[in-house]
Amino acid sequence: MILLEKLKEAATSVIPVMALVWLLHFTAAPLGDDLGRFLAGGALLILGLAVFLLGAEIGVVPVGSRAGSALTSRRNLPLLLGAGFVIGFLITVAEPDVHVLAQQVSAVDPGISHLALVGMIAVGVGLFVAVALGRIVFQVSLRLLLLAFYGLIFACAAFTAPAFLGVAFDAGGATTGPMTVPFIMALGVGVAAVRGGDARDDSFGLIGLASIGPILSVLLLGMMHQGAGGAPPALAGEEARGLAAHFLALVPDTAAEVGMALAPLAGLFAAFRIFLLRRMTRTRLLRVVMGLLYTFLGLVCFFVGVKGGFIPAGSSLGRLIAVTRPAWLLVGTGVALGALAVLAEPAVWVLTRQVEEVSGGSIRSRVILITLCIGVASAVGLAMFRVAGGHSLWYFLIPGYALALGLTFVCPPMFTAIAFDSGGVASGPMASTFILAFTLGASGGLGGNPITDAFGVIALIAMTPLIAIQALGILYGRAARRRKAARPLPHAAGEGAHDK
């Protein structure tokens, strides 16, 4: 049964994170009541992730691919770009990760409006989804666009308010959540398939470009508005109640958020069915509806587990280790959590499967997963080092992005596109909830300013895969050239046979 396979995959992903937190509870950071909620939240996380993956596979991804093909086959560029903007805007406005990030930012700095932040992020994503689709149609070099737009990003960053720097780069990662990634990636595959050319190279890069839009838009918001600043948020006490009651109390609000996330997507599917996919069979339509239902149920379970168990435990864990243990243990815990948490990101599994499919199996999903683990582990370790030492985010972003952009000149184009997509998908729900909560807890425990010290962790998680995946691509390209050089030429083999 497909669901059992998904449950096995999800359990393999989440259980290592739970085991690490369990170990830390009995050794370095006793969590008290938060441990029971964390374990119960982990069980909900496994169930939600499995059901979500099933729904994305049978409902979201196929429609995205068909819609991309249908839009491109119309040969109407304004229609394609306009649809790209509308899709990017609506899905982002409804993306739960974006609201989680915006709420945490507003809680730390009330001078940054939650609604203004969400609106600017959505506009940025919409514009750059249109740019990404236009790139496929006109066969524009992804490297050229990345160099141009990241140059613009750092120029704007030099003039924005300091409170918006980490938030802007974090927004680029949080945007690419569990609903955005499957649909936009499938849309790109559909457009590339109809457009022709090197479909393997063109199928990727949409997420990487879409992640640029929120960074630029939030930086522009920071240039126009000064944050009020703020102290670390006070930890509100919670009324004592049973474990089941604790999680059930979260269901109504979470269901409303997920429903808001899926409503625009369902509306888009209905529009595609009426205007673009008229030949869709009743069976196919039923599968799409079932996929959306599974996706809804999976995301509700996922976010109830995250909010009820993972965020409180992450905050407590970060605060306890920062206050009571040496700095090296904080950094080491960050490395371990980063390596394990990336495996629980729903969008990571969607990306790695699509990479293996589009590459014809030549790039194994397991290799991409291991490489992402190394990159994200390094990112969270660097974030903890930055929190402990109070170092500026600039010291990490400038050399990191300089190296990532420099590698685009020597890395195979398809791996460059995969790398910039990976940076977005690695910084999904687990990063914007558990990892960010852990970092906020550590910053608060050390008496730092979370708006400048803690925010930026998602930015580092989004940056390091750019380097790790491109390094993998360079090794992959060299191995392919060695195999090609070692292969005997046909005419040489024929001559040898003739001489005998």
Side-chain angles (χ1 to χ4, degrees):
M1 186 177 180
I2 299 177
L3 182 58
L4 291 178
E5 295 177 2
K6 303 300 182 187
L7 283 170
K8 183 179 178 180
E9 289 180 7
T12 303
S13 303
V14 178
I15 286 176
V17 179
M18 298 172 65
L20 178 61
V21 175
W22 176 280
L23 178 63
L24 290 169
H25 167 73
F26 287 106
T27 55
L31 294 173
D33 292 340
D34 283 340
L35 178 65
R37 293 172 180 173
F38 174 79
L39 296 177
L44 289 172
L45 203 70
I46 292 171
L47 177 62
L49 180 58
V51 177
F52 163 79
L53 289 173
L54 177 61
E57 184 174 306
I58 70 174
V60 177
V61 173
V63 171
S65 181
R66 284 168 167 258
S69 300
L71 283 169
T72 309
S73 63
R74 293 294 181 92
R75 307 296 179 185
N76 188 329
L77 184 61
L79 174 64
L80 177 64
L81 300 185
F85 174 82
V86 172
I87 290 169
F89 181 87
L90 290 179
I91 291 181
T92 304
V93 166
E95 179 62 64
D97 284 0
V98 174
H99 289 275
V100 170
L101 174 67
Q103 288 165 4
Q104 294 188 79
V105 171
S106 296
V108 173
D109 188 344
I112 301 177
S113 168
H114 167 226
L115 293 179
L117 192 57
V118 171
M120 289 296 286
I121 291 172
V123 169
V125 173
L127 287 174
F128 274 79
V129 167
V131 169
L133 295 178
R135 180 192 81 84
I136 296 175
V137 172
F138 292 108
Q139 301 283 282
V140 180
S141 167
L142 178 62
R143 179 197 304 148
L144 178 64
L145 292 178
L146 291 174
L147 291 171
F149 286 124
Y150 274 103
L152 180 60
I153 282 174
F154 282 98
C156 292
F159 298 99
T160 196
F164 281 82
L165 180 60
V167 174
F169 281 90
D170 280 358
T175 301
T176 47
M179 286 311 309
T180 309
V181 170
F183 193 80
I184 291 181
M185 285 193 66
L187 185 67
V189 170
V191 173
V194 173
R195 174 61 180 80
D198 194 342
R200 295 210 317 170
D201 290 354
D202 291 339
S203 297
F204 301 100
L206 266 82
I207 302 301
L209 285 172
S211 299
I212 293 175
I215 303 176
L216 271 175
S217 60
V218 176
L219 288 175
L220 291 174
L221 180 64
M223 294 169 68
M224 297 182 290
H225 172 74
Q226 296 291 325
L235 297 174
E238 183 179 339
E239 181 184 351
R241 54 190 174 189
L243 192 63
H246 170 74
F247 285 100
L248 286 174
L250 298 171
V251 171
D253 287 343
T254 303
E257 291 176 4
V258 174
M260 184 178 64
L262 288 178
L265 198 61
L268 284 173
F269 285 0
F272 288 154
R273 173 68 177 83
I274 295 171
F275 299 108
L276 294 175
L277 307 176
R278 297 177 181 176
R279 296 182 180 179
M280 181 182 289
T281 64
R282 183 173 297 180
T283 302
R284 178 69 259 176
L285 181 61
L286 180 61
R287 284 178 63 87
V288 171
V289 173
M290 291 301 297
L292 285 172
L293 178 60
Y294 287 146
T295 301
F296 173 80
L297 294 175
L299 285 177
V300 170
C301 286
F302 184 90
F303 282 107
V304 166
V306 165
K307 292 178 180 180
F310 268 51
I311 286 181
S315 180
S316 298
L317 191 67
R319 185 177 66 256
L320 288 169
I321 293 178
V323 171
T324 62
R325 303 296 171 181
W328 64 264
L329 183 59
L330 179 65
V331 174
T333 302
V335 169
L337 286 175
L340 296 175
V342 69
L343 294 176
E345 293 289 3
V348 167
W349 292 92
V350 175
L351 173 70
T352 55
R353 283 198 195 89
Q354 197 158 2
V355 169
E356 186 167 348
E357 290 174 5
V358 173
S359 66
S362 60
I363 305 173
R364 297 293 182 185
S365 60
R366 182 173 297 181
V367 176
I368 299 292
L369 281 173
I370 293 172
T371 307
L372 285 174
C373 284
I374 295 172
V376 175
S378 303
V380 182
L382 287 173
M384 295 306 107
F385 174 76
R386 190 173 79 87
V387 168
H391 304 295
S392 170
L393 187 60
W394 280 118
Y395 297 156
F396 303 90
L397 291 183
I398 291 178
Y401 274 103
L403 177 58
L405 293 172
L407 288 174
T408 63
F409 290 94
V410 294
C411 179
M414 186 176 69
F415 274 93
T416 293
I418 292 171
F420 280 83
D421 281 354
S422 300
V425 302
S427 50
M430 290 301 295
S432 59
T433 55
F434 185 72
I435 297 297
L436 182 55
F438 179 82
T439 311
L440 285 167
S443 176
L446 293 173
N449 182 4
I451 199 67
T452 55
D453 294 343
F455 289 101
V457 61
I458 302 177
L460 295 178
I461 291 174
M463 181 188 73
T464 49
L466 312 184
I467 300 169
I469 297 295
Q470 287 191 99
L472 174 66
I474 293 170
L475 295 175
Y476 180 91
R478 289 179 178 176
R481 287 193 296 269
R482 283 197 299 268
R483 287 195 299 269
K484 185 177 180 180
R487 191 178 304 148
L489 296 175
H491 72 276
E495 290 173 0
H498 179 72
D499 291 341
K500 289 183 179 180

